[in-house]
Amino acid sequence: VDTPFGKKRRINQSACNKDFSCINGFCPSFITVKGKLRKNTAADFDVESYDLPDPTLPSLAEPFDLLITGVGGTGVITVAALISMAAHLEGKGVSVLDFTGFAQKFGPVLSYVRLGQNPEALHQVRIDQQSADALIGCDIVVSSSPKASASYRQGMQSVMNVASMPTGDVVRNRDSDLKIDYRVREIERVTGQGTLPCINANQVSEKIFGDTVFANVIMLGFAWQHGLVALSEQALAQAIEMNAVAIGQNLKAFRVGRIAANSPDAFDQLLDTPDQESLTELINNRAEFLTDY
């Protein structure tokens, strides 16, 4: 975590397996705290106060190839399954091919989702090289990897979650830099999209729900509002209900994503991004901190 005093480490409780196997030697912490964890406080954010226009959805006159990228344990495959069920409910053709890589938490995950006007329109499940029509990037590192970017082409549309998530490099090098801005620019260059719509979905999810687990459903709403998912909101909502897991919160998360796409400034006050310190402010703040210490 970047702080005014440099990079610091913070345990990501949303990613905790809760099996305590880390105590056997894999935990980066030197301290074990026993007892109940303090829950993050969810913000009071009224999603119904926003009037959201319906986006123009893609045509399915030809099969539509949607790539979803992310990391294991965050719900990438769940998002693909929701889209698949919504397509089934509308009588559309759909295929899903999941690449889970190493079956482990935070391993790279790619879901190839192909949509057609009817099942007969689809003749393969894999998205060919340079054939993707859209990308829902739930993790910037996986989205900019060679395996994912092989499917990208000029003219495709993308949305991106620019949250920093742990990688092997972060474990080996405490000052590791994921170069998120550089990765975004490279995806913009390869797709020719112009300015890539980005959101820190993990941060928004943690502020509104007290947990980052809803970040990928926020990304689904964000992508739908940008016109990247060729299915109706009603079908997607019904798929969320049929999934029968945290229905109310997932429906809210989908709408949060829509708001983020339609009103990019809606969460500015909620996220409370600190202003950049001037040199004078930095010196005064450090002097005060050091004196108190």
Side-chain angles (χ1 to χ4, degrees):
V1 180
D2 285 316
T3 76
F5 297 97
K7 279 185 168 60
K8 304 292 182 183
R9 297 278 178 142
R10 181 176 65 193
I11 301 299
N12 181 1
Q13 291 299 155
S14 297
C16 180
N17 281 327
K18 307 294 192 297
D19 65 356
F20 303 109
S21 60
C22 51
I23 296 174
N24 296 329
F26 298 103
C27 183
S29 174
F30 296 102
I31 298 171
T32 300
V33 179
K34 294 185 177 181
K36 290 185 178 180
L37 272 175
R38 182 179 61 191
K39 293 288 186 182
N40 291 326
T41 304
D44 184 18
F45 186 81
D46 183 11
V47 297
E48 300 302 331
S49 61
Y50 288 82
D51 185 22
L52 300 171
D54 289 335
T56 301
L57 300 180
S59 168
L60 291 181
E62 296 290 335
F64 187 85
D65 292 345
L66 173 63
L67 177 62
I68 308 172
T69 59
V71 293
T74 62
V76 177
I77 292 175
T78 298
V79 169
L82 292 174
I83 294 173
S84 175
M85 178 54 71
H88 174 70
L89 293 171
E90 290 193 340
K92 301 287 196 315
V94 61
S95 68
V96 179
L97 177 62
D98 297 317
F99 284 87
T100 55
F102 291 107
Q104 62 184 17
K105 201 112 172 174
F106 284 105
V109 175
L110 282 75
S111 285
Y112 294 143
V113 181
R114 305 194 72 231
L115 297 167
Q117 195 62 50
N118 51 60
E120 291 73 26
L122 304 177
H123 302 290
Q124 68 181 49
V125 293
R126 187 172 186 137
I127 298 176
D128 284 335
Q129 290 195 358
Q130 299 181 17
S131 297
D133 295 302
L135 164 70
I136 303 178
C138 298
D139 176 71
I140 184 63
V141 175
V142 178
S143 299
S144 55
S145 67
K147 188 168 185 177
S149 56
S151 302
Y152 300 169
R153 63 173 177 83
Q154 289 285 306
M156 67 179 285
Q157 297 297 305
S158 314
V159 293
M160 188 62 57
N161 179 11
V162 291
S164 295
M165 294 193 225
T167 66
D169 287 340
V170 173
V171 176
R172 289 188 291 266
N173 176 12
R174 63 171 295 150
D175 295 319
S176 175
D177 185 357
L178 297 182
K179 297 182 172 61
I180 289 176
D181 291 341
Y182 170 76
R183 292 174 186 270
V184 168
R185 289 196 304 272
E186 283 300 292
I187 293 174
E188 289 173 343
R189 181 183 63 80
V190 171
T191 61
Q193 185 173 352
T195 302
L196 181 64
C198 296
I199 176 179
N200 189 326
N202 291 44
Q203 189 179 27
V204 171
S205 178
E206 189 168 16
K207 285 290 184 180
I208 294 179
F209 299 100
D211 198 316
T212 63
V213 73
F214 298 99
N216 287 356
V217 178
I218 290 175
M219 287 304 301
L220 176 59
F222 191 67
W224 187 84
Q225 190 66 32
H226 277 289
L228 271 60
V229 185
L231 300 166
S232 69
E233 180 186 15
Q234 292 75 18
L236 288 166
Q238 189 175 348
I240 290 173
E241 291 171 358
M242 292 177 67
N243 192 44
V245 176
I247 296 172
Q249 289 174 300
N250 277 306
L251 289 172
K252 182 177 179 180
F254 183 84
R255 190 166 178 85
V256 166
R258 291 191 61 195
I259 293 169
N262 189 68
S263 307
D265 300 331
F267 305 107
D268 284 355
Q269 186 173 359
L270 182 68
L271 299 179
D272 191 27
T273 304
D275 296 328
Q276 188 71 32
E277 287 181 309
S278 68
L279 178 60
T280 302
E281 289 172 332
L282 185 146
I283 292 171
N284 291 339
N285 292 338
R286 298 296 174 91
E288 182 181 350
F289 177 86
L290 185 58
T291 302
D292 288 342
Y293 176 79

